[in-house]
Amino acid sequence: MVKEIQLRVTLKEEKEQDILVKKASKFLSVSSQEISGIKVLRKSIDARKSLIILNYKVAVYINEPVPETSDYKFDYKDVSKAKPIHIIGFGPAGMYAALRCIELGYKPIVLERGKNVQDRRRDLRAINQDHFVNEDSNYCFGEGGAGTYSDGKLYTRSLKRGDVRRIFENLVFHGATEQILIDAHPHIGTNKLPKVVKNIRETILKYGGEVHFDSRVTDFTIVNQTIKSIQLLNGDKMPVEKVILATGHSARDIYYLLNNKNIALKAKSFAMGVRVEHPQHIIDSIQYHCEGKRDELLPAASYSLVQQVNNRGVYSFCMCPGGFIVPAATANGEVVVNGMSPSKRNNEFANSGIVVEINVDKDLPKYEQYGILKGLEYQKNFERLAFTAGGRTQTAPAQRLTDFVEGNFSNSLNNTSYQPGLKSAPLHSLFPKLIGSRLRKGFAAFGQKMKGFYTEEANVIGVESRTSSPVNIPRKESLEHPEITNLYPCGEGGGYAGGIISAAMDGERCAEAATVGL
């Protein structure tokens, strides 16, 4: 017999041996000897009060063994001689589209502009140390996409778009820890993601798929509203039947290409702002009601904040406890910052994007000349502003949080995890009012919600501008583009996802759609 129950455990109780067996025995009124084992299905932390509680959802096996294998099976088959489906981009959407193609009996041919995870590291080192951005190999482009060198956050609200559990099980199948199946807010960690990504590539190759790196797509040949071939930067042309476009939210050249070919696009609302970085112990003390070090059983604390300011949302984005800030520019002449965390989240800093919602239909009247690409051009100008304010390198412009809100220049800055370094700059006066004014009011409100958050010990670092794509590539219910019959816009680059899991689910859906009629 198997019983699913909820258990509440204090931190003191958590340190007791076999505490879940003891609690389950009492809850179910059975002896502990009758319990064959307990499988943790979900674990979360309730830190709303000073007595912190660990909430467990468990399956209790009574007089029967705990199963050792997953219910999920991945039926990969040899597709080396099967009909091909071309996939542009090898981030989460592209990877999962390729895996799903193999399950369905089709050969994925993946074209990735960047390098494999190993070679990509050299280019990341060049950004951090030499301030040089390789426009095809950086924190956004390359094997695994932007997700490879990120916190690896796997939380999603996209529960209606597909089988979330299946995506998680597939990550475990490819080397992720089983802990991601349990935690309420799971993450893999930037130190472990590259291995998982490499394993996914090896599965694709093992079953007859192809993955081509250093293969930037520069043009399409379109005849009768159908893509007939793809042209690469090196001049090669590849005939195609179905194309899944999974290039990510930073592949601006793809938006320009589609727009120049008069292929329908839509302007999309998005958000931009800054990264705020605190010493982790400050966030721990606020969230866990503690002084000094947090309890050893507790992970680095996180937060989620939102405030309406002048009819626009100001909110935290991609919060990275125990993490660090990285340069996420995809071209020289711009500064973009993002956050990531290792699996243990054991760095001394906590950082988060704090961004302002931008309504593309109402907020950008001076950019109407750019038409559908007005949001993209606004985003680019914001990043150029940061580049200039930072000293025209990957050094980022920054200000103490209190100075930013109160309108003062920072004569000194706090220590930071951002390797290229910080330069004090008057961000409060440099930012357009649309963003700067709302951020300042938002930070003041967050200081009221989280006592201790508003402190001179925090830095505000510019700019966080790649929260999502400012362009949407439309598609029909069949997931095809409304004008190009064999083009399937996919993932974050199409405007259909907002993170690793939702992008992966969309990749699977697009693969399923692309096989229809092939």
Side-chain angles (χ1 to χ4, degrees):
M1 181 169 58
V2 182
K3 292 280 190 180
E4 288 191 8
I5 60 174
Q6 305 278 348
L7 298 175
R8 289 167 57 82
V9 180
T10 66
L11 290 178
K12 183 178 179 180
E13 291 172 331
E14 180 77 358
K15 296 171 184 176
E16 296 179 26
Q17 189 172 5
D18 296 327
I19 185 60
L20 293 182
V21 173
K22 295 174 185 176
K23 291 243 175 194
S25 172
K26 182 177 180 181
F27 185 92
L28 296 171
S29 299
V30 298
S31 70
S32 57
Q33 287 74 26
E34 293 179 83
I35 297 177
S36 311
I38 291 179
K39 185 175 183 179
V40 177
L41 304 177
R42 184 66 71 192
K43 180 183 178 182
S44 63
I45 299 170
D46 184 351
R48 290 174 294 178
K49 298 180 180 178
S50 57
L51 181 63
I52 296 173
I53 299 294
L54 304 180
N55 291 314
Y56 283 93
K57 180 182 179 182
V58 299
V60 184
Y61 291 78
I62 302 170
N63 295 322
E64 69 173 85
V66 179
E68 295 183 3
T69 59
S70 169
D71 293 334
Y72 281 80
K73 305 295 179 189
F74 300 100
D75 183 23
Y76 299 127
K77 57 201 72 165
D78 182 6
V79 295
S80 56
K81 295 183 177 10
K83 289 184 177 181
I85 293 176
H86 287 75
I87 301 167
I88 305 175
F90 199 47
M95 288 191 298
Y96 271 80
L99 291 172
R100 189 66 181 134
C101 282
I102 293 172
E103 286 187 286
L104 296 170
Y106 295 87
K107 179 178 181 174
I109 299 177
V110 180
L111 304 170
E112 167 55 49
R113 69 191 297 163
K115 300 177 183 178
N116 65 51
V117 283
Q118 189 66 36
D119 293 341
R120 194 176 169 190
R121 287 174 179 162
R122 299 188 189 99
D123 296 311
L124 302 186
R125 195 177 305 118
I127 300 174
N128 281 294
Q129 296 179 2
D130 304 326
H131 299 247
F132 175 76
V133 181
N134 181 326
E135 297 189 4
D136 286 321
S137 180
N138 44 61
Y139 278 99
C140 291
F141 300 145
E143 185 173 20
T148 302
Y149 295 100
S150 72
D151 191 50
K153 280 185 270 305
L154 305 177
Y155 182 68
T156 182
R157 294 183 177 88
S158 305
L159 302 180
K160 295 180 180 179
R161 296 185 185 178
D163 188 343
V164 176
R165 178 75 181 199
R166 172 185 157 82
I167 303 297
F168 279 68
E169 291 277 3
N170 198 294
L171 287 168
V172 172
F173 178 81
H174 285 102
T177 172
E178 291 191 358
Q179 192 66 31
I180 68 171
L181 304 175
I182 296 169
D183 290 342
H185 293 274
H187 82 292
I188 297 176
T190 188
N191 55 319
K192 294 187 175 181
L193 268 167
K195 178 63 174 175
V196 175
V197 167
K198 181 173 178 285
N199 290 343
I200 289 174
R201 183 224 309 165
E202 289 176 348
T203 292
I204 293 167
L205 297 177
K206 176 181 177 182
Y207 289 97
E210 297 179 14
V211 180
H212 301 273
F213 296 110
D214 297 305
S215 298
R216 191 208 300 183
V217 172
T218 57
D219 203 359
F220 304 122
T221 299
I222 300 173
V223 179
N224 296 328
Q225 305 301 303
T226 301
I227 297 177
K228 294 297 184 181
S229 67
I230 291 171
Q231 183 169 317
L232 304 182
L233 182 63
N234 64 9
D236 288 352
K237 276 194 173 183
M238 307 179 74
V240 299
E241 292 192 52
K242 297 288 185 83
V243 178
I244 296 174
L245 188 62
T247 46
H249 61 43
S250 290
R252 290 168 171 167
D253 54 325
I254 291 295
Y255 300 132
Y256 286 123
L257 173 62
L258 296 175
N259 192 54
N260 289 339
K261 288 184 171 293
N262 295 315
I263 295 172
L265 300 172
K266 293 181 180 178
K268 176 177 144 309
S269 294
F270 57 109
M272 296 198 299
V274 295
R275 280 258 145 197
V276 63
E277 184 172 60
H278 291 78
Q280 180 63 51
H281 70 82
I282 290 180
I283 305 303
D284 289 342
S285 67
I286 298 170
Q287 301 296 71
Y288 293 143
H289 324 285
C290 65
E291 295 182 11
K293 283 190 74 172
R294 65 180 183 271
D295 191 284
E296 62 183 358
L297 293 177
L298 293 172
S302 62
Y303 58 83
S304 178
L305 294 165
V306 63
Q307 180 72 25
Q308 285 293 313
V309 179
N310 300 336
N311 299 314
R312 295 289 179 271
V314 179
Y315 57 92
S316 58
F317 170 82
C318 186
M319 194 273 150
C320 298
F324 41 94
I325 298 175
V326 297
T330 52
N332 292 289
E334 62 188 31
V335 165
V336 182
V337 294
N338 194 12
M340 61 172 62
S341 298
S343 57
K344 292 183 180 180
R345 290 181 163 171
N346 56 357
N347 195 31
E348 62 181 299
F349 295 103
N351 73 78
S352 177
I354 303 294
V355 295
V356 177
E357 173 191 9
I358 296 171
N359 186 315
V360 76
D361 296 320
K362 298 179 180 179
D363 294 337
L364 308 178
K366 294 181 180 179
Y367 286 78
E368 289 298 332
Q369 61 183 306
Y370 299 107
I372 296 302
L373 301 182
K374 57 188 173 182
L376 190 154
E377 295 298 332
Y378 185 75
Q379 187 185 60
K380 285 172 65 175
N381 280 347
F382 196 50
E383 295 165 3
R384 291 191 196 108
L385 180 153
F387 179 74
T388 302
R392 306 186 70 80
T393 67
Q394 285 302 303
T395 299
Q399 215 169 349
R400 288 180 185 256
L401 172 57
T402 47
D403 287 336
F404 176 73
V405 173
E406 295 165 21
N408 300 317
F409 183 83
S410 295
N411 293 317
S412 64
L413 297 169
N414 300 297
N415 291 335
T416 181
S417 64
Y418 184 70
Q419 195 173 341
L422 303 179
K423 179 182 178 182
S424 186
L427 297 179
H428 65 278
S429 61
L430 289 174
F431 282 0
K433 187 176 180 181
L434 167 66
I435 295 174
S437 174
R438 287 182 171 91
L439 280 176
R440 293 164 73 182
K441 291 177 181 177
F443 275 123
F446 296 157
Q448 295 298 312
K449 294 181 179 183
M450 285 179 64
K451 301 298 183 183
F453 182 89
Y454 182 69
T455 171
E456 65 175 10
E457 293 184 60
N459 286 330
V460 166
I461 301 169
V463 293
E464 173 78 50
S465 53
R466 306 285 180 95
T467 60
S468 65
S469 170
V471 179
N472 167 249
I473 308 174
R475 66 189 188 189
K476 301 183 293 186
E477 284 189 20
S478 64
L479 306 190
E480 289 177 302
H481 189 276
E483 296 173 355
I484 309 300
T485 58
N486 62 340
L487 177 65
Y488 297 82
C490 183
E492 289 200 37
Y496 300 102
I500 292 173
I501 298 303
S502 58
M505 287 193 292
D506 200 56
E508 288 204 331
R509 291 181 65 214
C510 286
E512 291 162 4
T515 63
V516 175
L518 189 61

